């Protein structure tokens, strides 16, 4: 599977496993899982050619580790980023003292007024390192990395969870926990 097809397949899987499962006629369970055989059959019915080996390749090589298999390998789901209602079953976790959020400079006024909000997603996504935050912010224009005082948020009772691919999730980040870029 060449790199171009791998990226295209990853984007398509993100769309159907995070946002529009109905696009190919599948239904995610309450935790976001769908059986692999059901996914592959639905894709084939819509003219999409994808083998289990190709799916395995996309899951294994995705640099953002967006997808994961169930323990028995029979089901697949997106690790986070859903706009459809799912409960990933992630336990609360103690975050590092500081987390980061990458965004575009044009969003700063709204962010410092309203805080970080999940928008169409279920959670705000944060990263443990600035490099990841820069990559995320770059998708939205000139990137700006904000610092989040996660220790203070946790002390104030805000809950954090960590996805299978290392993305930190929280319901929202009020503006008082954000630091402006330097």
């Amino acid at each position: 599977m060449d790199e171009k097809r791998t990226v295209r397949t990853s984007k398509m899987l993100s769309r159907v496993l995070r946002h529009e499962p109905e696009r190919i006629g599948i239904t995610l369970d309450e935790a976001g899982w769908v059986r692999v055989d059901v996914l592959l059959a639905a894709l084939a019915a819509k003219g999409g050619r994808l083998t289990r080996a190709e799916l395995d390749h996309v899951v294994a090589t995705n640099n953002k580790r967006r997808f994961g298999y169930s323990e028995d390998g029979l089901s697949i789901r997106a690790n986070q980023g859903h706009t459809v209602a799912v409960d990933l079953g992630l336990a609360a976790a103690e975050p590092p003292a500081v987390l980061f959020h990458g965004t575009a400079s044009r969003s700063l006024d709204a962010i410092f007024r309203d805080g970080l909000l999940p928008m169409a997603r279920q959670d705000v996504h944060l990263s443990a390192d600035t490099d990841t935050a820069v990559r995320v912010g770059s998708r939205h224009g000139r990137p700006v990395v904000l610092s989040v005082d996660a220790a203070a948020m946790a002390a104030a009772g805000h809950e954090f969870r960590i996805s299978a691919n290392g993305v930190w999730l929280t319901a929202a980040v009020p503006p008082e926990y954000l630091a402006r870029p330097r």
Side-chain angles (χ1 to χ4, degrees), residues 23 32 34 36 43 47 62 76 89 94 100-101 105 115 121 135 141 148-149 165 181:
R23 180 182 207 90
V34 64
V36 171
L43 289 169
N62 183 270
I76 187 171
E94 187 70 29
F100 303 96
H101 182 79
S105 58
R121 294 184 178 183
R135 278 195 308 277
V148 175
D149 189 347
N165 60 343

Side-chain angles (χ1 to χ4, degrees), residues 6-128:
T6 299
V7 169
R8 227 178 24 249
T9 301
S10 176
K11 287 181 178 184
M12 177 274 303
L13 288 172
S14 288
R15 175 172 278 179
V16 299
L17 295 177
R18 294 164 77 178
H19 311 298
E20 299 175 341
E22 70 281 357
R23 180 182 207 90
I24 63 166
I26 62 171
T27 302
L28 306 178
D29 74 11
E30 64 280 348
W33 296 104
V34 64
R35 289 184 51 92
V36 171
D37 59 341
V38 170
L39 172 68
L40 295 176
L43 289 169
K46 295 288 185 182
R49 292 182 358 253
L50 187 66
T51 66
R52 174 63 192 248
E54 290 168 329
L55 182 63
D56 291 345
H57 174 77
V58 171
V59 171
T61 62
N62 183 270
N63 63 342
K64 296 178 184 176
R65 298 184 343 220
R66 283 196 169 125
F67 316 105
Y69 287 123
S70 58
E71 287 185 27
D72 62 9
L74 298 177
S75 296
I76 187 171
R77 74 175 178 185
N79 285 323
Q80 96 291 323
H82 298 82
T83 56
V84 295
V86 297
D87 179 359
L88 297 175
L90 302 173
E94 187 70 29
V98 177
L99 289 168
F100 303 96
H101 182 79
T103 190
S105 58
R106 69 179 177 274
S107 302
L108 289 177
D109 288 343
I111 289 171
F112 282 105
R113 181 184 64 242
D114 303 326
L116 292 172
L117 304 172
M119 309 310 275
R121 294 184 178 183
Q122 292 186 300
D123 294 290
V124 171
H125 295 188
L126 304 170
S127 59

